[in-house]
Amino acid sequence: MNILPNTSYENEDFSSEDFTEVQIQGCEFTNCNFKLSNISEANITNSRFNSCNFNLADMKNILCENSAFTNCNFENTTLFLSTFKECKLTGSNFAGSNTTGLNIIQGDWSYVNLR
């Protein structure tokens, strides 16, 4: 699956898609569904995800820089060895996620559920 740079997506269903090693730059996603998607080893830069669903997604070893994931669901998501650098994750839910080796470098993690 290919994501075009500097593009907006709204109410799109990307569930079960393969985004392995995808480059996401300057994009905005609103109310999009990434449930069960493979987003491993992706590079996400200067992008925004608003109220998106990442439940059960494979997001291991991703690099996110200067991006926002506000009010997103990451329940039971694999984030093994992933890095969030200067990202905003306000109001997001990580209940049951595998966060082993998760690297957080600055950013805003206010009101995040990490249970």
Side-chain angles (χ1 to χ4, degrees), residues 89-107:
L89 282 97
T90 304
S92 291
N93 179 23
F94 290 85
S97 292
N98 178 355
T99 56
T100 304
L102 180 65
N103 190 13
I104 301 168
I105 303 168
Q106 298 181 333

Side-chain angles (χ1 to χ4, degrees), residues 3-21:
I3 299 290
L4 299 173
N6 304 310
T7 304
S8 294
Y9 299 90
E10 188 169 349
N11 299 315
E12 294 285 338
D13 186 6
F14 298 111
S15 59
S16 301
E17 293 285 343
D18 187 1
F19 295 100
T20 306
E21 298 180 353

Side-chain angles (χ1 to χ4, degrees), residues 3-58:
I3 299 290
L4 299 173
N6 304 310
T7 304
S8 294
Y9 299 90
E10 188 169 349
N11 299 315
E12 294 285 338
D13 186 6
F14 298 111
S15 59
S16 301
E17 293 285 343
D18 187 1
F19 295 100
T20 306
E21 298 180 353
V22 72
Q23 303 287 322
I24 300 175
Q25 297 177 344
C27 293
E28 184 164 353
F29 298 85
T30 303
N31 294 317
C32 292
N33 185 16
F34 293 90
K35 184 176 183 177
L36 293 167
S37 292
N38 183 355
I39 312 171
S40 59
E41 299 184 23
N43 285 321
I44 301 170
T45 309
N46 299 320
S47 295
R48 296 181 181 277
F49 297 81
N50 305 302
S51 300
C52 292
N53 178 9
F54 293 94
N55 294 348
L56 299 166
D58 183 353

